[in-house]
Amino acid sequence: MKKKTLVELRRIANLIPKQNPFEIAAFLCPICDEWKFVFLNGSLVFMEDENPILVMQISTIYGTLRANDTLYILCRNRALHYFDRKTHQHCVVFLDNTHDDISGPMLN
């Protein structure tokens, strides 16, 4: 997955609508299997070989957006997670406080 610039990511984040937990679940449920995550006890859990590798409480999610092979999840703390469907790579960028980002393969 090609890493995006902070300017690009801020532009994408501005396109993400605010969603309530029911809207988030309705948006994400149809793509659970394809993107390898499940809903469990009010959380979105990304899985690898049936082991959780990333857990997000739905109440911390501001909104979601899918663009082609990339899924964007904007959290209320302005952390923007983005996932590549083909490579299962995951990156997270903190839009407000720092230019640092974290990236790596989410799943093999």
Side-chain angles (χ1 to χ4, degrees):
M1 170 171 61
K2 181 184 171 201
K3 289 179 85 174
K4 295 171 176 48
T5 67
L6 189 59
V7 171
E8 290 174 306
L9 292 171
R10 284 182 174 155
R11 193 173 308 129
I12 291 166
N14 288 335
L15 298 174
I16 297 174
K18 183 176 183 176
Q19 298 170 308
N20 67 46
F22 298 107
E23 293 169 319
I24 292 166
F27 179 83
L28 294 175
C29 275
I31 61 173
C32 282
D33 291 339
E34 182 181 7
W35 292 80
K36 300 186 181 184
F37 60 83
V38 297
F39 289 97
L40 182 64
N41 297 327
S43 295
L44 182 62
V45 182
F46 288 85
M47 307 294 285
E48 178 179 14
D49 298 325
E50 303 205 16
N51 295 311
I53 57 169
L54 176 65
V55 178
M56 288 184 204
Q57 288 205 343
I58 293 177
S59 63
T60 66
I61 298 174
Y62 176 87
T64 57
L65 176 73
R66 181 179 178 185
N68 300 319
D69 288 325
T70 306
L71 173 64
Y72 298 93
I73 298 176
L74 180 62
C75 293
R76 296 184 189 283
N77 67 356
R78 300 289 294 165
L80 179 64
H81 296 261
Y82 59 107
F83 306 86
D84 184 276
R85 182 181 59 84
K86 292 179 182 176
T87 65
H88 299 287
Q89 189 172 18
H90 165 244
C91 294
V92 60
V93 175
F94 301 94
L95 299 175
D96 289 341
N97 300 327
T98 179
H99 294 319
D100 295 338
D101 65 356
I102 302 167
S103 64
M106 185 178 76
L107 304 171
N108 292 332

Coordinates of all heavy atoms in Angstrom, one line a residue, residues 15-88:
L15 N -13.8 14.1 4.6 CA -14.9 13.5 3.8 C -15.7 12.4 4.6 O -16.8 12.0 4.2 CB -14.3 12.8 2.5 CG -13.7 13.7 1.5 CD1 -13.0 12.9 0.4 CD2 -14.6 14.7 0.9
I16 N -15.1 12.0 5.7 CA -15.7 11.0 6.5 C -16.9 11.5 7.3 O -16.7 12.4 8.1 CB -14.7 10.3 7.4 CG1 -13.6 9.6 6.5 CG2 -15.4 9.3 8.3 CD1 -12.5 9.0 7.3
P17 N -18.1 11.0 7.1 CA -19.2 11.5 7.9 C -19.2 11.0 9.3 O -18.8 9.9 9.6 CB -20.4 10.9 7.1 CG -19.9 9.7 6.5 CD -18.5 9.9 6.2
K18 N -19.8 11.8 10.2 CA -20.0 11.4 11.5 C -21.1 10.3 11.5 O -22.2 10.5 10.9 CB -20.4 12.5 12.5 CG -20.5 12.1 13.9 CD -20.8 13.3 14.8 CE -20.9 12.8 16.2 NZ -21.1 13.9 17.1
Q19 N -20.8 9.2 12.2 CA -21.8 8.1 12.2 C -22.0 7.6 13.7 O -21.1 7.7 14.5 CB -21.3 6.9 11.4 CG -21.0 7.2 9.9 CD -20.3 6.1 9.2 OE1 -19.2 5.7 9.7 NE2 -20.8 5.6 8.2
N20 N -23.3 7.2 13.9 CA -23.5 6.6 15.2 C -23.1 5.2 15.2 O -22.9 4.6 14.1 CB -25.0 6.9 15.7 CG -26.0 6.1 14.8 OD1 -25.8 4.9 14.5 ND2 -27.0 6.8 14.4
P21 N -23.1 4.5 16.3 CA -22.6 3.1 16.3 C -23.5 2.2 15.4 O -22.9 1.2 14.8 CB -22.8 2.7 17.8 CG -22.6 3.9 18.5 CD -23.2 5.0 17.7
F22 N -24.8 2.4 15.3 CA -25.6 1.6 14.4 C -25.2 1.8 12.9 O -25.2 0.9 12.2 CB -27.1 1.9 14.6 CG -27.5 1.6 16.1 CD1 -27.8 2.6 17.0 CD2 -27.6 0.2 16.5 CE1 -28.2 2.3 18.3 CE2 -28.0 -0.1 17.8 CZ -28.3 0.9 18.7
E23 N -24.9 3.0 12.6 CA -24.5 3.3 11.2 C -23.2 2.7 10.9 O -22.9 2.2 9.8 CB -24.5 4.8 10.9 CG -25.8 5.5 11.0 CD -25.8 7.0 11.0 OE1 -24.9 7.6 11.7 OE2 -26.6 7.6 10.3
I24 N -22.3 2.8 11.9 CA -20.9 2.2 11.7 C -21.1 0.7 11.5 O -20.5 0.1 10.5 CB -20.1 2.5 12.9 CG1 -19.7 4.0 12.9 CG2 -18.8 1.6 12.9 CD1 -19.1 4.4 14.3
A25 N -21.9 0.0 12.3 CA -22.1 -1.4 12.2 C -22.8 -1.8 10.8 O -22.4 -2.7 10.2 CB -22.9 -2.0 13.3
A26 N -23.7 -1.0 10.4 CA -24.4 -1.2 9.2 C -23.5 -1.1 8.0 O -23.6 -1.8 7.0 CB -25.6 -0.3 9.0
F27 N -22.6 -0.1 8.1 CA -21.6 0.1 7.0 C -20.6 -1.0 7.0 O -20.2 -1.5 5.9 CB -20.9 1.4 7.2 CG -19.8 1.7 6.2 CD1 -20.2 2.3 5.0 CD2 -18.5 1.5 6.4 CE1 -19.2 2.6 4.0 CE2 -17.5 1.7 5.5 CZ -17.9 2.3 4.3
L28 N -20.1 -1.5 8.1 CA -19.0 -2.5 8.2 C -19.4 -3.9 8.1 O -18.7 -4.8 7.6 CB -18.2 -2.2 9.4 CG -17.4 -0.9 9.5 CD1 -16.7 -0.8 10.9 CD2 -16.4 -0.8 8.4
C29 N -20.6 -4.2 8.6 CA -21.1 -5.7 8.6 C -21.0 -6.3 7.2 O -20.5 -7.5 7.2 CB -22.5 -5.8 9.1 SG -22.5 -5.8 10.9
P30 N -21.4 -5.7 6.1 CA -21.3 -6.4 4.8 C -19.9 -6.7 4.4 O -19.7 -7.6 3.5 CB -22.0 -5.5 3.9 CG -22.8 -4.6 4.7 CD -22.1 -4.5 6.0
I31 N -18.9 -6.1 4.9 CA -17.5 -6.3 4.5 C -16.6 -7.0 5.5 O -15.4 -7.1 5.3 CB -16.9 -5.0 4.0 CG1 -16.8 -4.0 5.1 CG2 -17.6 -4.4 2.8 CD1 -16.0 -2.7 4.8
C32 N -17.3 -7.5 6.6 CA -16.5 -8.2 7.7 C -15.6 -9.3 7.2 O -14.4 -9.3 7.5 CB -17.4 -8.8 8.7 SG -18.1 -7.6 9.8
D33 N -16.1 -10.2 6.4 CA -15.3 -11.3 6.0 C -14.2 -10.9 5.0 O -13.1 -11.4 5.2 CB -16.2 -12.4 5.3 CG -17.1 -13.1 6.2 OD1 -16.9 -13.1 7.5 OD2 -18.2 -13.6 5.8
E34 N -14.5 -10.0 4.1 CA -13.5 -9.6 3.1 C -12.4 -8.9 3.8 O -11.2 -9.0 3.4 CB -14.3 -8.7 2.1 CG -13.4 -8.1 1.0 CD -14.2 -7.2 0.1 OE1 -15.4 -6.8 0.4 OE2 -13.6 -6.8 -0.9
W35 N -12.6 -8.1 4.8 CA -11.6 -7.3 5.5 C -11.0 -8.0 6.7 O -10.2 -7.4 7.4 CB -12.1 -5.9 5.8 CG -12.4 -5.1 4.5 CD1 -13.5 -5.2 3.7 CD2 -11.5 -4.2 3.9 NE1 -13.3 -4.4 2.7 CE2 -12.1 -3.7 2.8 CE3 -10.3 -3.6 4.3 CZ2 -11.6 -2.8 1.9 CZ3 -9.7 -2.7 3.5 CH2 -10.4 -2.2 2.3
K36 N -11.6 -9.2 7.1 CA -11.1 -10.0 8.2 C -11.2 -9.3 9.6 O -10.2 -9.2 10.3 CB -9.6 -10.4 7.9 CG -9.5 -11.3 6.7 CD -8.2 -11.8 6.5 CE -8.2 -12.6 5.2 NZ -7.0 -13.3 4.9
F37 N -12.4 -8.9 9.9 CA -12.7 -8.4 11.2 C -14.1 -8.9 11.6 O -14.9 -9.4 10.8 CB -12.6 -6.9 11.3 CG -13.6 -6.1 10.4 CD1 -14.9 -5.9 10.8 CD2 -13.1 -5.6 9.2 CE1 -15.7 -5.2 10.0 CE2 -14.0 -4.9 8.4 CZ -15.3 -4.7 8.8
V38 N -14.3 -8.8 12.9 CA -15.6 -9.3 13.5 C -16.0 -8.2 14.5 O -15.3 -7.4 15.0 CB -15.5 -10.6 14.2 CG1 -15.1 -11.7 13.2 CG2 -14.5 -10.6 15.4
F39 N -17.3 -8.2 14.8 CA -17.9 -7.4 15.9 C -18.0 -8.3 17.2 O -18.5 -9.4 17.1 CB -19.2 -6.9 15.6 CG -19.2 -5.8 14.5 CD1 -19.4 -6.1 13.2 CD2 -18.9 -4.5 14.9 CE1 -19.3 -5.1 12.2 CE2 -18.8 -3.5 13.9 CZ -19.0 -3.8 12.6
L40 N -17.5 -7.8 18.3 CA -17.5 -8.6 19.5 C -17.7 -7.7 20.7 O -16.8 -6.8 20.9 CB -16.3 -9.5 19.6 CG -16.2 -10.4 20.8 CD1 -17.2 -11.5 20.8 CD2 -14.8 -11.0 20.8
N41 N -18.7 -7.8 21.4 CA -19.0 -7.0 22.7 C -18.8 -5.5 22.5 O -18.1 -4.9 23.2 CB -18.0 -7.5 23.8 CG -18.3 -8.9 24.2 OD1 -19.5 -9.4 24.1 ND2 -17.3 -9.7 24.6
G42 N -19.3 -5.0 21.4 CA -19.2 -3.5 21.2 C -17.9 -3.1 20.6 O -17.6 -1.9 20.6
S43 N -17.1 -4.0 20.1 CA -15.8 -3.7 19.6 C -15.7 -4.2 18.1 O -16.3 -5.2 17.8 CB -14.7 -4.3 20.4 OG -14.7 -3.7 21.7
L44 N -14.8 -3.6 17.4 CA -14.4 -4.0 16.1 C -13.1 -4.7 16.3 O -12.2 -4.1 16.8 CB -14.3 -2.8 15.1 CG -14.0 -3.0 13.7 CD1 -15.0 -3.9 13.0 CD2 -13.8 -1.7 13.0
V45 N -13.0 -6.0 15.9 CA -11.8 -6.8 16.2 C -11.2 -7.3 14.9 O -11.9 -8.1 14.2 CB -12.1 -8.0 17.1 CG1 -10.9 -8.8 17.4 CG2 -12.8 -7.5 18.4
F46 N -10.0 -6.9 14.6 CA -9.3 -7.4 13.4 C -8.6 -8.6 13.7 O -7.9 -8.7 14.8 CB -8.4 -6.3 12.8 CG -9.1 -5.2 12.2 CD1 -9.6 -4.1 12.9 CD2 -9.4 -5.2 10.8 CE1 -10.3 -3.1 12.4 CE2 -10.1 -4.1 10.2 CZ -10.5 -3.1 11.0
M47 N -8.8 -9.7 12.9 CA -8.3 -11.0 13.2 C -7.2 -11.5 12.3 O -7.1 -11.1 11.1 CB -9.4 -12.0 13.1 CG -10.7 -11.6 13.9 SD -10.4 -11.7 15.7 CE -10.4 -13.4 16.0
E48 N -6.3 -12.3 12.8 CA -5.3 -13.0 12.0 C -5.2 -14.4 12.6 O -4.9 -14.6 13.8 CB -3.9 -12.3 12.2 CG -2.8 -13.1 11.4 CD -1.5 -12.4 11.5 OE1 -1.3 -11.5 12.3 OE2 -0.6 -12.8 10.7
D49 N -5.6 -15.4 11.8 CA -5.6 -16.8 12.2 C -6.4 -17.0 13.5 O -5.9 -17.6 14.4 CB -4.1 -17.3 12.4 CG -3.3 -17.2 11.1 OD1 -3.9 -17.5 10.0 OD2 -2.1 -17.0 11.1
E50 N -7.5 -16.3 13.5 CA -8.4 -16.4 14.6 C -7.9 -15.8 15.9 O -8.4 -16.1 17.0 CB -8.9 -17.9 14.9 CG -9.5 -18.5 13.6 CD -10.5 -19.6 13.9 OE1 -10.9 -19.7 15.0 OE2 -10.8 -20.3 12.9
N51 N -6.9 -15.0 15.8 CA -6.3 -14.3 17.0 C -6.6 -12.8 16.8 O -6.3 -12.3 15.7 CB -4.8 -14.5 17.1 CG -4.6 -16.0 17.5 OD1 -5.2 -16.5 18.4 ND2 -3.7 -16.6 16.8
P52 N -7.0 -12.1 17.8 CA -7.2 -10.6 17.6 C -5.9 -9.9 17.5 O -5.0 -10.2 18.3 CB -8.0 -10.2 18.9 CG -7.7 -11.3 19.9 CD -7.4 -12.5 19.1
I53 N -5.8 -9.0 16.6 CA -4.5 -8.2 16.5 C -4.8 -6.7 16.6 O -3.8 -6.0 16.9 CB -3.8 -8.5 15.1 CG1 -4.7 -8.2 14.0 CG2 -3.3 -9.9 15.1 CD1 -3.9 -8.2 12.6
L54 N -6.0 -6.3 16.5 CA -6.3 -4.9 16.7 C -7.8 -4.8 17.2 O -8.7 -5.4 16.6 CB -6.2 -4.1 15.4 CG -6.6 -2.6 15.5 CD1 -5.7 -1.8 16.4 CD2 -6.5 -2.0 14.1
V55 N -8.0 -4.1 18.3 CA -9.4 -4.0 18.8 C -9.7 -2.5 18.9 O -8.9 -1.8 19.5 CB -9.5 -4.7 20.2 CG1 -10.9 -4.5 20.8 CG2 -9.1 -6.2 20.1
M56 N -10.9 -2.1 18.4 CA -11.4 -0.8 18.5 C -12.8 -0.8 19.1 O -13.6 -1.5 18.5 CB -11.5 -0.1 17.1 CG -10.2 0.3 16.5 SD -10.7 1.1 14.9 CE -9.2 0.8 14.0
Q57 N -13.0 -0.1 20.1 CA -14.4 0.0 20.6 C -15.2 0.9 19.6 O -14.7 1.9 19.2 CB -14.4 0.6 22.0 CG -13.9 -0.3 23.0 CD -14.5 0.0 24.4 OE1 -15.0 1.1 24.6 NE2 -14.4 -1.0 25.3
I58 N -16.4 0.4 19.3 CA -17.2 1.2 18.3 C -17.5 2.6 18.8 O -17.5 3.5 18.0 CB -18.4 0.4 17.9 CG1 -18.0 -0.9 17.2 CG2 -19.4 1.2 17.1 CD1 -19.2 -1.8 16.8
S59 N -17.6 2.7 20.1 CA -17.9 4.1 20.6 C -16.8 5.1 20.4 O -17.0 6.3 20.6 CB -18.2 3.9 22.1 OG -17.1 3.5 22.8
T60 N -15.6 4.6 20.1 CA -14.4 5.5 19.9 C -14.3 5.9 18.4 O -13.5 6.7 18.0 CB -13.1 4.9 20.3 OG1 -12.8 3.8 19.5 CG2 -13.1 4.5 21.8
I61 N -15.2 5.3 17.5 CA -15.1 5.6 16.1 C -16.0 6.8 15.7 O -17.2 6.8 16.1 CB -15.5 4.3 15.3 CG1 -14.5 3.2 15.6 CG2 -15.6 4.6 13.8 CD1 -14.9 1.9 14.9
Y62 N -15.4 7.7 15.0 CA -16.2 8.9 14.6 C -17.0 8.5 13.3 O -18.2 8.8 13.2 CB -15.2 10.0 14.3 CG -15.9 11.2 13.7 CD1 -16.5 12.2 14.5 CD2 -15.9 11.4 12.3 CE1 -17.1 13.3 14.0 CE2 -16.6 12.5 11.8 CZ -17.1 13.5 12.6 OH -17.7 14.6 12.0
G63 N -16.3 7.9 12.3 CA -16.9 7.5 11.1 C -16.1 6.6 10.2 O -14.9 6.4 10.5
T64 N -16.6 6.1 9.1 CA -15.9 5.2 8.3 C -16.1 5.6 6.8 O -17.1 6.3 6.5 CB -16.4 3.8 8.4 OG1 -17.8 3.7 8.2 CG2 -16.1 3.3 9.8
L65 N -15.2 5.2 6.0 CA -15.3 5.4 4.5 C -14.5 4.3 3.8 O -13.4 3.9 4.2 CB -14.7 6.8 4.2 CG -14.6 7.2 2.8 CD1 -15.9 7.6 2.2 CD2 -13.6 8.4 2.6
R66 N -15.1 3.9 2.7 CA -14.4 2.9 1.9 C -14.2 3.5 0.5 O -15.1 4.0 -0.1 CB -15.2 1.6 1.7 CG -14.5 0.6 0.9 CD -15.4 -0.7 0.8 NE -14.7 -1.6 0.0 CZ -15.2 -2.8 -0.4 NH1 -16.4 -3.1 0.1 NH2 -14.5 -3.6 -1.1
A67 N -12.9 3.5 0.1 CA -12.6 4.0 -1.3 C -11.8 3.0 -2.0 O -10.6 2.7 -1.6 CB -11.8 5.4 -1.1
N68 N -12.4 2.4 -3.0 CA -11.7 1.3 -3.7 C -11.2 0.2 -2.8 O -12.0 -0.4 -2.1 CB -10.6 1.8 -4.6 CG -11.1 2.8 -5.6 OD1 -12.1 2.7 -6.2 ND2 -10.4 3.9 -5.7
D69 N -9.9 -0.1 -2.7 CA -9.4 -1.1 -1.8 C -8.9 -0.6 -0.5 O -8.1 -1.3 0.2 CB -8.3 -1.9 -2.6 CG -8.8 -2.7 -3.7 OD1 -9.9 -3.3 -3.6 OD2 -8.1 -2.8 -4.8
T70 N -9.3 0.5 -0.1 CA -8.9 1.1 1.2 C -10.1 1.4 2.1 O -11.1 2.0 1.6 CB -8.1 2.4 1.0 OG1 -7.0 2.1 0.1 CG2 -7.5 2.9 2.3
L71 N -10.0 1.0 3.3 CA -11.0 1.2 4.3 C -10.4 2.2 5.3 O -9.3 2.0 5.8 CB -11.4 -0.1 5.1 CG -12.3 0.1 6.3 CD1 -13.7 0.6 5.8 CD2 -12.4 -1.2 7.0
Y72 N -11.1 3.3 5.5 CA -10.7 4.4 6.4 C -11.6 4.4 7.7 O -12.8 4.3 7.5 CB -10.7 5.8 5.8 CG -9.9 5.9 4.6 CD1 -10.3 5.6 3.3 CD2 -8.5 6.3 4.7 CE1 -9.5 5.8 2.2 CE2 -7.7 6.4 3.6 CZ -8.2 6.2 2.4 OH -7.4 6.3 1.3
I73 N -11.0 4.4 8.8 CA -11.7 4.5 10.1 C -11.1 5.7 10.9 O -10.0 5.7 11.3 CB -11.7 3.2 10.9 CG1 -12.3 2.1 10.1 CG2 -12.4 3.4 12.3 CD1 -12.2 0.7 10.8
L74 N -12.0 6.7 11.0 CA -11.5 7.9 11.8 C -12.1 7.8 13.2 O -13.3 7.6 13.4 CB -12.1 9.2 11.1 CG -11.7 10.5 11.8 CD1 -10.2 10.7 11.8 CD2 -12.5 11.6 11.1
C75 N -11.2 7.9 14.1 CA -11.5 7.8 15.6 C -11.8 9.2 16.1 O -11.4 10.2 15.5 CB -10.5 7.1 16.4 SG -10.3 5.3 15.9
R76 N -12.5 9.2 17.2 CA -12.9 10.5 17.8 C -11.6 11.3 18.3 O -11.7 12.5 18.4 CB -13.8 10.3 19.0 CG -15.1 9.7 18.5 CD -16.1 9.6 19.7 NE -17.3 8.8 19.3 CZ -18.3 9.3 18.5 NH1 -18.2 10.6 18.1 NH2 -19.3 8.6 18.2
N77 N -10.5 10.6 18.5 CA -9.3 11.3 18.9 C -8.5 11.8 17.7 O -7.3 12.2 17.9 CB -8.4 10.4 19.8 CG -7.9 9.2 19.1 OD1 -8.2 9.0 17.9 ND2 -7.0 8.4 19.8
R78 N -9.1 11.7 16.5 CA -8.5 12.2 15.3 C -7.3 11.2 14.8 O -6.5 11.6 14.0 CB -8.0 13.6 15.3 CG -9.1 14.6 15.6 CD -10.1 14.8 14.5 NE -9.4 15.5 13.3 CZ -9.9 15.5 12.1 NH1 -11.1 15.0 11.9 NH2 -9.3 16.1 11.2
A79 N -7.4 10.0 15.3 CA -6.5 9.0 14.7 C -7.2 8.4 13.5 O -8.4 8.0 13.6 CB -6.2 7.9 15.7
L80 N -6.5 8.4 12.3 CA -7.1 7.9 11.1 C -6.4 6.6 10.8 O -5.2 6.5 10.5 CB -6.9 8.9 10.0 CG -7.5 8.4 8.6 CD1 -9.0 8.2 8.7 CD2 -7.1 9.3 7.5
H81 N -7.2 5.5 10.9 CA -6.7 4.2 10.5 C -7.0 3.9 9.1 O -8.2 4.2 8.7 CB -7.3 3.1 11.4 CG -7.0 3.2 12.8 ND1 -6.0 2.4 13.4 CD2 -7.5 4.0 13.8 CE1 -6.0 2.7 14.7 NE2 -6.9 3.6 15.0
Y82 N -6.1 3.4 8.3 CA -6.5 2.9 7.0 C -5.9 1.6 6.7 O -4.8 1.2 7.1 CB -6.2 4.0 5.9 CG -4.8 4.5 5.7 CD1 -4.1 4.1 4.6 CD2 -4.3 5.4 6.6 CE1 -2.8 4.6 4.4 CE2 -3.0 5.9 6.4 CZ -2.3 5.5 5.3 OH -1.0 6.0 5.1
F83 N -6.7 0.8 6.0 CA -6.4 -0.6 5.8 C -6.5 -0.9 4.3 O -7.4 -0.5 3.6 CB -7.5 -1.5 6.5 CG -7.6 -1.2 7.9 CD1 -8.5 -0.2 8.4 CD2 -6.9 -1.9 8.9 CE1 -8.6 0.1 9.7 CE2 -7.1 -1.7 10.2 CZ -7.9 -0.7 10.6
D84 N -5.5 -1.7 3.8 CA -5.5 -2.1 2.4 C -6.1 -3.5 2.3 O -5.7 -4.5 3.0 CB -4.1 -2.2 1.9 CG -4.1 -2.5 0.4 OD1 -4.1 -3.7 0.1 OD2 -4.0 -1.6 -0.4
R85 N -7.2 -3.7 1.5 CA -7.9 -5.0 1.4 C -7.0 -6.1 0.8 O -7.1 -7.2 1.2 CB -9.1 -4.8 0.5 CG -9.9 -6.1 0.4 CD -11.2 -5.9 -0.5 NE -10.8 -5.5 -1.8 CZ -10.5 -6.3 -2.8 NH1 -10.4 -7.6 -2.6 NH2 -10.2 -5.9 -4.0
K86 N -6.2 -5.7 -0.2 CA -5.4 -6.8 -0.8 C -4.2 -7.2 0.0 O -3.9 -8.4 0.1 CB -4.9 -6.2 -2.2 CG -6.0 -6.0 -3.2 CD -5.5 -5.5 -4.5 CE -6.6 -5.2 -5.4 NZ -6.2 -4.6 -6.7
T87 N -3.4 -6.3 0.6 CA -2.2 -6.6 1.3 C -2.5 -6.8 2.8 O -1.6 -7.3 3.6 CB -1.1 -5.6 1.1 OG1 -1.6 -4.3 1.7 CG2 -0.8 -5.4 -0.3
H88 N -3.6 -6.3 3.3 CA -4.0 -6.3 4.7 C -3.0 -5.5 5.5 O -2.8 -5.7 6.7 CB -4.1 -7.7 5.3 CG -5.1 -8.5 4.6 ND1 -6.5 -8.3 4.8 CD2 -5.0 -9.5 3.7 CE1 -7.1 -9.1 4.0 NE2 -6.3 -9.9 3.3

